[in-house]
């Protein structure tokens, strides 16, 4: 628990290249060719994702050529910088906050890295003060949108302190031609690129569209092989267990009770769970665990259809839709990521 923190603004960012699901399936079939004989469910996986299109950091032909670490990280830095500026600028404008007012910037990204970190490289161009505090986060994966926002909220708790949270993921840059595994092919069908940013301030509830009042994390024991990266000379390689939906059905319910208790919240008072849409099977499992009617997570399915799974930023795209539709009195953000961990934020609707 921590003092209530105002969520003043939210901004989104997308790279310029759009790939339909049909185009993604054809491109994958062209690249993997005869190797798909060992994965007869290939066409069905692409057709059943619930995804219509996704945005990508590079044109389609880029993914058909071989790339190593140097190529991938150069592409990451270029695309991530553009997405950082796009999402952060939109969030600051939405909040009515000038860059020089930002006291701290928290950045979560697990699909690439740069040293100096992106926040340092872009500080002058963004107009941040020289004394700004910076906290780059790596390794949170799909949970980074909620876990990173929770960290930003804790740092923004002192009254008047302003924190900018930015999360961007370039999942498409991890596409591996040399990996014909089921996990890699499923990831190819699911993941896209995007960014989101939020502006938070302590003691400014009168300007908030939502007020964060709790956050918690639950780390499941002996679950490290469910989700993550395998790192080798070619770059990142996906670790993604096919048993994830069943794992959630078996283990998430008691963890959710503990998370709500950490936040001092009662489940029956949560008017809307805003969830990271990892995929259609994961959404179905979440609806079962949350005791919701099938199809209740409608904003999640709409974001998945329009953008695919963008990893960490995706839940904030869902929050944006929920905000525009009208937040209930109480809501909770829920995301799952490497560790394997569940992350929760509770919030109440603000006056704005």
């Amino acid at each position: 628990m921590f003092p209530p923190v105002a969520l003043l603004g939210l901004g989104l960012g997308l790279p310029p290249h759009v790939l339909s699901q049909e185009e993604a399936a054809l491109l994958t079939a062209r690249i993997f060719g005869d190797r798909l004989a060992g994965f007869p469910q290939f066409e069905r996986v692409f057709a059943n994702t619930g995804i219509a299109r996704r945005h990508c950091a590079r044109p389609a032909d880029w993914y058909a050529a071989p790339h190593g670490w140097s190529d991938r990280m150069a592409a990451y830095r270029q695309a991530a910088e553009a997405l950082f500026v796009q999402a952060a600028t939109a969030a600051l404008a939405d909040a009515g906050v000038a860059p020089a007012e930002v006291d701290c910037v928290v950045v979560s990204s697990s699909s690439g890295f740069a040293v100096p970190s992106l926040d340092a490289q872009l500080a002058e161009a963004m107009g941040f003060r020289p004394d700004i505090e910076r906290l780059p986060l790596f390794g949170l994966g799909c949970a980074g949108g909620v876990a990173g926002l929770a960290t930003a909220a804790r740092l923004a708790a002192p009254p008047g302190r302003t924190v900018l949270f930015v999360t961007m993921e370039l999942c498409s840059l991890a596409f591996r031609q040399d990996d014909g595994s089921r996990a890699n092919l499923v990831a190819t069908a699911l993941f896209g690129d995007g960014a989101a940013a939020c502006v938070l301030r302590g003691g400014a509830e009168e300007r908030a569209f939502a007020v964060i009042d709790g956050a918690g994390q639950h780390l499941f024991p002996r679950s490290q092989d469910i989700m993550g990266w395998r790192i080798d000379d070619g770059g990142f390689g996906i670790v993604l267990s096919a048993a994830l939906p069943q794992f959630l059905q078996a283990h998430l319910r008691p963890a959710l009770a503990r998370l709500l208790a950490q936040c001092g919240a009662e489940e029956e008072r949560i008017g809307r769970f805003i969830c990271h849409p990892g995929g259609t099977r994961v959404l179905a499992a979440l609806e079962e665990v949350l005791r919701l009617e099938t199809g209740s997570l409608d904003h999640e399915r709409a974001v998945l259809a329009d953008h695919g799974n963008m990893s960490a930023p995706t839940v904030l795209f869902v929050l944006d839709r929920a905000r525009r539709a009208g937040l209930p009195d109480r809501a909770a953000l829920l995301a799952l990521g490497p560790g394997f961990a569940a992350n929760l934020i509770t919030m109440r609707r603000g006056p704005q």
Side-chain angles (χ1 to χ4, degrees):
M1 295 291 290
F2 47 81
V5 173
L7 194 48
L8 302 183
L10 173 61
L12 308 177
L14 291 164
H17 308 288
V18 181
L19 196 64
S20 73
Q21 190 69 336
E22 293 78 10
E23 290 169 332
L26 288 172
L27 179 62
T28 305
R30 174 161 62 92
I31 291 170
F32 286 96
D34 294 341
R35 285 180 290 170
L36 292 178
F39 188 48
Q41 307 96 333
F42 164 74
E43 291 185 1
R44 189 167 70 249
V45 167
F46 272 82
N48 293 341
T49 58
I51 296 169
R53 68 194 65 84
R54 86 280 297 274
H55 289 72
C56 299
R58 288 291 181 264
D61 287 347
W62 187 91
Y63 302 96
H67 298 284
W69 268 108
S70 179
D71 288 346
R72 295 179 193 278
M73 290 305 100
Y76 171 83
R77 287 190 293 272
Q78 183 181 43
E81 286 180 5
L83 287 176
F84 182 111
V85 172
Q86 185 182 357
T89 300
L92 290 166
D94 186 46
V97 170
E101 296 180 69
V102 176
D103 300 299
C104 174
V105 57
V106 177
V107 182
S108 178
S109 185
S110 300
S111 50
F113 45 82
V115 181
S117 55
L118 293 174
D119 43 272
Q121 295 189 36
L122 294 168
E124 187 174 355
M126 285 294 303
F128 298 147
R129 302 192 312 267
D131 65 346
I132 192 169
E133 181 181 354
R134 300 178 296 108
L135 182 60
L137 304 173
F138 180 85
L140 296 169
C142 290
V146 174
L149 183 61
T151 298
R154 291 186 179 95
L155 291 170
R161 184 168 166 82
T162 301
V163 176
L164 172 67
F165 170 60
V166 186
T167 178
M168 80 289 291
E169 298 292 6
L170 287 303
C171 304
S172 73
L173 300 181
F175 172 71
R176 297 286 294 268
Q177 303 177 355
D178 59 337
D179 182 0
S181 68
R182 180 189 186 281
N184 186 53
L185 291 167
V186 170
T188 302
L190 284 176
F191 287 97
D193 302 337
C198 295
V199 179
L200 306 99
R201 180 174 289 171
E205 295 183 34
E206 70 283 353
R207 293 178 53 187
F209 73 83
V211 178
I212 296 175
D213 55 14
Q217 182 176 126
H218 179 84
L219 186 64
F220 296 93
R222 298 176 299 281
S223 62
Q224 291 89 348
D225 59 347
I226 289 179
M227 183 185 296
W229 286 130
R230 181 193 74 253
I231 301 175
D232 57 29
D233 291 343
F236 292 123
I238 190 71
V239 175
L240 184 62
S241 172
L244 174 56
Q246 292 85 350
F247 183 92
L248 297 179
Q249 291 165 331
H251 301 290
L252 182 56
R253 187 74 209 171
L256 178 65
R258 287 189 285 271
L259 285 166
L260 288 167
Q262 287 180 48
C263 296
E266 300 173 359
E267 185 175 358
E268 57 270 21
R269 296 188 61 194
I270 302 295
R272 178 64 154 86
F273 280 93
I274 297 168
C275 302
H276 168 69
T280 53
R281 292 178 62 216
V282 170
L283 286 174
L286 287 173
E287 286 172 340
E288 179 180 325
V289 170
L290 297 173
R291 298 169 181 166
L292 302 172
E293 293 185 8
T294 299
S296 295
L297 298 178
D298 52 349
H299 297 315
E300 288 81 352
R301 286 182 169 83
V303 168
L304 190 65
D306 287 344
H307 305 292
N309 181 349
M310 298 170 285
S311 191
T314 320
V315 70
L316 299 179
F317 277 67
V318 181
L319 174 59
D320 181 65
R321 293 198 182 218
R323 172 193 180 185
R324 296 178 189 281
L327 289 170
D329 290 340
R330 299 281 295 159
L333 305 184
L334 176 63
L336 307 147
F340 181 68
N343 294 262
L344 188 79
I345 284 176
T346 56
M347 59 177 60
R348 63 177 186 268
R349 185 177 61 215
Q352 297 302 313

